[in-house]
């Protein structure tokens, strides 16, 4: 199965933001006035996210061996990260000796109804999963939380016998409810909120 289960931080596979990381001073950045008074510091500046996304693309191409890829983007949160990642993957392909064909499809995952778990995850949108048979599949997600939803998605996809299925996530949220799942390619962070110019910690 894609991903892994682990307890110790894997510094070779992601940028680890420790719980005692003080962050960057807000005076180093410009940010919208309506955030004034609500923020304490910036955890990850936008530039680091951009650079890390490019590096993830290089790692992915190296690890999968420049083979054709079927990319499944998990909406809604994964769209921007997926778009940036795919652009970097395409740039690598253009500058290599071998053209890599990439097709992107979009899905939404639903495991709750009215804030209550329905017990079974629903996959909304996208093509018939049977078309993934024999394909090299890359699932792109913005944040992996407990890992339970991603494991359920992987289980659903693997029933159709893809040649390979891997997971790339920009962030992994450390939570005591985690089942230990880790994507194949990632950056990590603790509790967070998002703004266009980076990831920040609120004052609350």
């Amino acid at each position: 199965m894609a991903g892994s289960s682990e307890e110790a931080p894997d510094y070779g596979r992601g940028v680890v933001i420790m719980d005692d990381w003080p962050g960057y001073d807000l005076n180093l950045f410009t940010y919208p006035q309506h955030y004034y008074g609500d923020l304490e510091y910036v955890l990850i500046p936008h530039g680091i996210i951009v650079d890390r996304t490019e590096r993830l693309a290089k790692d992915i191409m190296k690890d999968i061996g420049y083979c054709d890829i079927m990319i499944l983007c998990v909406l809604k949160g994964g769209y921007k990260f997926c778009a940036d990642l795919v652009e970097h993957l395409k740039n690598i392909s253009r500058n290599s000796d071998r053209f890599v064909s990439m097709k992107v499809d979009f899905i939404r995952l639903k495991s709750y109804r009215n804030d209550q778990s329905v017990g079974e995850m629903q996959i909304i949108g996208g093509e018939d999963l049977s078309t993934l048979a024999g394909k090299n599949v890359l699932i792109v997600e913005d944040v992996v939380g407990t890992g339970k939803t991603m494991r359920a998605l992987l289980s659903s996809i693997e029933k159709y016998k893809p040649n390979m299925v891997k997971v790339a996530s920009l962030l992994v949220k450390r939570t005591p409810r985690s089942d230990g799942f880790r994507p194949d390619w990632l950056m990590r962070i603790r509790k967070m909120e998002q703004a266009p110019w980076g990831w920040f910690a609120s004052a609350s």
Side-chain angles (χ1 to χ4, degrees), residues 160-194:
Y160 298 97
K161 302 187 182 306
N163 180 57
M164 174 185 70
V165 56
K166 300 288 186 179
V167 179
S169 179
L170 177 63
L171 305 172
V172 171
K173 183 176 181 179
R174 286 204 295 275
T175 169
R177 295 182 297 150
S178 172
D179 66 0
F181 176 82
R182 290 292 179 266
D184 299 282
W185 301 283
L186 66 134
M187 173 187 283
R188 301 185 192 189
I189 194 171
R190 58 174 176 158
K191 182 179 179 182
M192 67 285 183
E193 299 178 54
Q194 185 180 22

Side-chain angles (χ1 to χ4, degrees), residues 7 43 92 94 139 153 163 194:
E7 295 180 359
L43 285 174
I92 295 172
R94 294 187 193 106
I139 300 171
L153 175 60
N163 180 57
Q194 185 180 22

Side-chain angles (χ1 to χ4, degrees), residues 97-148:
D97 296 332
R98 185 185 184 284
F99 174 75
V100 177
S101 174
M102 296 173 218
K103 182 178 180 181
V104 182
D105 203 357
F106 301 91
I107 59 173
R108 294 182 67 179
L109 307 180
K110 185 176 182 181
S111 56
Y112 290 86
R113 183 181 299 131
N114 298 326
D115 295 328
Q116 297 295 318
S117 175
V118 297
E120 183 176 346
M121 183 199 64
Q122 296 175 282
I123 302 175
I124 304 171
E127 294 185 357
D128 183 348
L129 293 182
S130 65
T131 62
L132 300 179
K135 301 288 183 61
N136 300 304
V137 180
L138 174 64
I139 300 171
V140 179
E141 173 71 288
D142 63 336
V143 180
V144 171
T146 65
K148 294 178 182 178

Side-chain angles (χ1 to χ4, degrees), residues 34-90:
H34 60 265
Y35 285 120
Y36 289 5
D38 293 329
L39 309 182
E40 291 183 346
Y41 48 85
V42 173
L43 285 174
I44 306 179
H46 180 254
I48 293 179
I49 295 174
V50 171
D51 289 347
R52 181 61 188 153
T53 302
E54 182 176 5
R55 178 54 191 262
L56 287 178
K58 292 180 179 179
D59 289 345
I60 289 169
M61 292 295 265
K62 178 181 178 181
D63 290 349
I64 67 176
Y66 288 81
C67 59
D68 296 344
I69 312 171
M70 176 65 195
I71 299 169
L72 286 183
C73 174
V74 180
L75 299 174
K76 298 181 180 176
Y79 178 78
K80 182 63 169 66
F81 171 50
C82 183
D84 292 343
L85 182 65
V86 169
E87 186 59 33
H88 286 304
L89 289 170
K90 288 182 176 179

